[in-house]
């Protein structure tokens, strides 16, 4: 597999475990951020001519053989019928909020085509399809799964760069901003680590000109963001020894569902219960790895970690099983 | 601007950061951090900057060696003992 680009790396995180057949709210947020990632990639690679803070780009760039299909798709949307586009970096980035559903679909198709070609992304049965309610209703859903090796390399290297002392590259600053804006930051860092991340953002905001430019930018579309417990979380996580402020706000976006997997029978033995759930998920094509056994096992399902909490649902009679709850990749 | 190094540049370097070591080996950051803190991975540290620099070839081969020993069923204390009997 050839080395993927900055925007493709972000896409591996943003699209992983997202439904492929429906335009959910969380996928809309991811797609807007993927479009923003193309602008940031172009900015990093000096694709804009810059006078002061104003960045300009001519339509001729689309004829450049080094431009990828996904970059072309996003830039075409930005150019619309114009020959030239110009604006400051914040102006470019906030434009993604206005993208229509049709445009977002174009962005998705272009990225997915490129990544599938590189064997970096595939479509599988959605984990939610294994939920009792969906199984009994006969609803089949599909989702994206990023190549496990590439996903680990991308997520772990960004974790290393942010959590480790030392200089932070421009790519890491911009990736951090994208993770924050897409809500994926909760998948990568634990609540405890987020306190360190918030301090890091505060420092980058003060010490790096790129950090100062991007961290105040928010591309939230309020309709697409779940704000439940937002203020509580904000207070808990964003207050650092150095202070608190707009740069520390991590928007909360509902990117995962709580999934109930029923077992074939009631298992008093926790090992049997876990094996039954494992078999069920593997039959549906998921990659399963048990990270920790015990009363509440921790399992890795297609790049993401879940705690499998024993649970019973009461209909006319009780149905036993486990509830899968997402766990951050911070082991 | 401080840019991320391409894989070609990393592969041509004598020393790499822990993030680059993650990219090279596909290992988890927390795993490498643990190996480092347990003295299983060689590194240099500039006191002022507090950034750990890893000798690329030695560190990669050491990580592969640890992976192999783990696959053979050895525990971390056993691996540490096995490694300490060797010189870097």
């Amino acid at each position: 597999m050839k080395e993927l680009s900055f925007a493709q790396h972000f896409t591996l995180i943003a699209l992983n475990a997202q439904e492929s057949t429906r335009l959910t709210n969380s996928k809309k947020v991811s797609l807007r951020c993927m479009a923003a990632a193309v602008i940031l990639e172009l900015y990093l690679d000096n694709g804009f001519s810059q006078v002061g803070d104003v960045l300009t780009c001519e339509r001729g760039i689309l004829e450049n053989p080094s431009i990828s299909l996904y970059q072309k798709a996003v830039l075409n949307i930005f150019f619309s019928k114009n020959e030239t586009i110009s604006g400051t970096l914040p102006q470019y980035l906030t434009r993604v909020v206005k993208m229509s559903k049709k445009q977002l679909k174009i962005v998705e198709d272009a990225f997915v085509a490129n990544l599938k070609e590189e064997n970096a992304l595939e479509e599988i049965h959605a984990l939610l399809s294994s939920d009792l309610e969906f199984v009994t209703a006969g609803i089949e859903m599909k989702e994206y799964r990023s190549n496990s090796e590439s996903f680990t390399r991308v997520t772990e290297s960004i974790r290393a760069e942010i959590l480790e002392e030392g200089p932070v590259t421009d790519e890491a600053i911009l990736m951090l901003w994208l993770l924050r804006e897409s809500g994926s930051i909760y998948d990568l860092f634990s609540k405890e680590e987020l306190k360190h991340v918030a301090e890091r953002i505060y420092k980058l905001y003060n010490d790096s000109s790129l950090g100062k430019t991007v961290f105040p930018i928010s591309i939230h579309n309020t309709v697409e963001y779940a704000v439940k417990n937002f203020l509580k979380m904000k207070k808990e996580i964003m207050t650092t020894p150095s202070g608190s402020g707009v740069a520390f706000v991590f928007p909360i976006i509902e990117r995962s569902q709580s999934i109930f997997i029923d077992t074939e029978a009631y298992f008093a033995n926790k090992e049997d219960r876990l094996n039954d759930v494992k078999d069920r998920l593997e039959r549906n094509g998921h990659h399963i790895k048990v990270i920790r056994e015990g009363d509440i096992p921790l399992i890795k399902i297609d790049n993401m970690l879940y705690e499998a909490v024993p649970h019973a649902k009461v209909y006319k009679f009780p149905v036993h099983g486990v509830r899968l709850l997402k766990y951050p990749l911070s082991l | 601007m401080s840019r991320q190094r391409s894989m070609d540049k990393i592969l041509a370097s004598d020393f790499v950061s822990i993030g680059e070591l993650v990219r090279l080996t596909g290992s988890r950051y927390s795993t490498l951090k643990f190996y480092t803190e347990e003295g299983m991975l060689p590194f240099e540290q500039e006191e002022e900057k507090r950034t750990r620099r890893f000798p690329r070839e030695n560190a990669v081969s050491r990580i592969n060696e640890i992976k192999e020993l783990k696959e053979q069923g050895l525990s971390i204390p056993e691996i540490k003992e096995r490694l300490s009997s060797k010189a870097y």
Side-chain angles (χ1 to χ4, degrees):
Chain A
M1 194 191 298
K2 74 172 189 189
E3 199 172 355
L4 299 175
S5 69
F6 170 80
Q8 287 176 316
H9 277 159
F10 170 69
T11 302
L12 290 186
I13 301 172
L15 281 191
N16 183 63
Q18 295 268 12
E19 281 184 44
S20 59
T21 41
R22 289 193 310 142
L23 191 59
T24 59
N25 277 340
S26 73
K27 193 166 84 176
K28 275 187 210 165
V29 175
S30 294
L31 295 171
R32 290 188 202 289
C33 289
M34 282 153 56
V38 170
I39 296 300
L40 294 173
E41 188 169 82
L42 207 61
Y43 176 74
L44 282 174
D45 294 339
N46 301 317
F48 292 103
S49 52
Q50 188 166 358
V51 179
D53 286 341
V54 179
L55 309 171
T56 305
C57 189
E58 306 285 340
R59 184 178 276 277
I61 196 172
L62 298 175
E63 307 306 321
N64 190 328
S66 67
I67 291 282
S68 308
L69 177 70
Y70 70 86
Q71 291 174 320
K72 209 177 242 184
V74 171
L75 288 174
N76 261 324
I77 294 168
F78 273 78
F79 278 113
S80 185
K81 290 173 184 165
N82 302 313
E83 286 302 309
T84 307
I85 46 172
S86 67
T88 60
L89 188 61
Q91 284 168 343
Y92 276 103
L93 296 178
T94 47
R95 260 184 230 173
V96 301
V97 181
K98 291 179 184 156
M99 282 186 168
S100 67
K101 284 183 186 175
K102 196 177 159 191
Q103 289 171 330
L104 292 176
K105 181 79 182 118
I106 292 170
V107 173
E108 179 180 0
D109 289 347
F111 266 101
V112 169
N114 263 178
L115 288 171
K116 277 185 172 174
E117 215 171 275
E118 298 293 337
N119 292 321
L121 193 74
E122 60 182 328
E123 274 181 85
I124 56 164
H125 283 287
L127 187 57
L128 199 58
S129 295
S130 301
D131 184 285
L132 175 66
E133 308 274 352
F134 286 78
V135 173
T136 48
I139 299 171
E140 276 236 11
M141 293 158 80
K142 296 250 179 184
E143 69 184 19
Y144 293 115
R145 175 167 64 197
S146 301
N147 173 286
S148 169
E149 203 187 317
S150 307
F151 184 85
T152 304
R153 279 178 206 271
V154 174
T155 52
E156 292 298 319
S157 64
I158 183 80
R159 278 173 49 73
E161 201 167 336
I162 299 303
L163 297 176
E164 191 79 0
E165 293 296 331
V168 179
T169 59
D170 291 347
E171 280 87 347
I173 293 173
L174 298 179
M175 187 65 85
L176 201 52
W177 178 78
L178 288 167
L179 293 173
R180 187 191 74 178
E181 291 303 303
S182 64
S184 312
I185 204 157
Y186 292 98
D187 294 345
L188 263 66
F189 299 99
S190 69
K191 205 170 165 183
E192 206 50 44
E193 286 170 346
L194 280 173
K195 289 178 189 169
H196 181 77
V197 174
E199 284 170 24
R200 201 75 158 146
I201 289 180
Y202 180 73
K203 203 165 180 316
L204 289 168
Y205 175 75
N206 283 315
D207 299 347
S208 145
S209 61
L210 187 60
K212 205 171 194 67
T213 307
V214 294
F215 285 125
I217 306 170
S218 105
I219 52 173
H220 309 166
N221 180 334
T222 49
V223 180
E224 291 164 2
Y225 284 71
V227 290
K228 194 179 167 191
N229 294 328
F230 176 70
L231 292 174
K232 183 170 167 270
M233 291 284 287
K234 183 183 165 191
K235 193 176 170 189
E236 267 179 31
I237 299 171
M238 310 320 147
T239 309
T240 72
S242 324
S244 60
V246 69
F248 301 120
V249 176
F250 298 141
I252 297 166
I253 300 151
E254 187 47 59
R255 281 172 52 85
S256 64
Q257 308 90 355
S258 158
I259 298 155
F260 179 74
I261 313 288
D262 59 307
T263 48
E264 302 287 343
Y266 170 69
F267 295 106
N269 180 316
K270 56 194 178 205
E271 284 81 22
D272 292 344
R273 185 171 57 223
L274 181 60
N275 284 334
D276 189 83
V277 170
K278 252 183 77 182
D279 289 346
R280 170 76 59 90
L281 294 172
E282 278 171 348
R283 277 205 301 274
N284 283 345
H286 297 287
H287 296 162
I288 313 292
K289 188 178 174 193
V290 178
I291 305 289
R292 181 186 71 208
E293 291 182 344
D295 289 335
I296 301 179
L298 186 64
I299 49 181
K300 189 174 183 185
I301 310 173
D302 304 326
N303 300 323
M304 304 309 290
L305 294 177
Y306 294 86
E307 278 187 321
V309 183
H311 189 75
K313 272 193 162 184
V314 180
Y315 296 93
K316 283 184 180 169
F317 48 86
V319 178
H320 292 273
V322 295
R323 187 164 284 288
L324 298 175
L325 300 173
K326 217 173 194 183
Y327 194 89
L329 296 168
S330 55
L331 287 177
Chain B
M1 301 234 297
S2 147
R3 295 295 307 272
Q4 195 173 67
R5 297 198 294 179
S6 70
M7 199 54 98
D8 288 342
K9 280 190 180 161
I10 294 172
L11 285 169
S13 301
D14 291 336
F15 286 91
V16 294
S17 68
I18 194 164
E20 290 170 338
L21 213 45
V22 167
R23 285 171 68 194
L24 280 173
T25 62
S27 304
R28 296 177 60 83
Y29 162 61
S30 45
T31 307
L32 297 189
K33 198 175 169 205
F34 174 75
Y35 292 162
T36 307
E37 283 162 5
E38 290 294 311
M40 296 159 78
L41 274 184
F43 71 90
E44 286 180 8
Q45 191 162 23
E46 288 173 46
E47 206 171 312
E48 281 174 15
K49 290 184 179 173
R50 294 162 65 201
T51 311
R52 291 175 184 145
R53 290 167 4 117
F54 296 82
R56 180 179 54 81
E57 281 184 7
N58 275 344
V60 171
S61 71
R62 179 53 64 98
I63 291 164
N64 290 334
E65 197 178 351
I66 296 170
K67 275 183 187 169
E68 273 171 33
L69 293 171
K70 272 174 85 180
E71 276 166 21
Q72 287 169 25
L74 268 70
S75 66
I76 292 293
E78 286 167 337
I79 295 173
K80 277 175 77 174
E81 204 180 310
R82 185 79 68 93
L83 296 177
S84 63
S85 63
K86 286 182 174 184
Y88 285 128

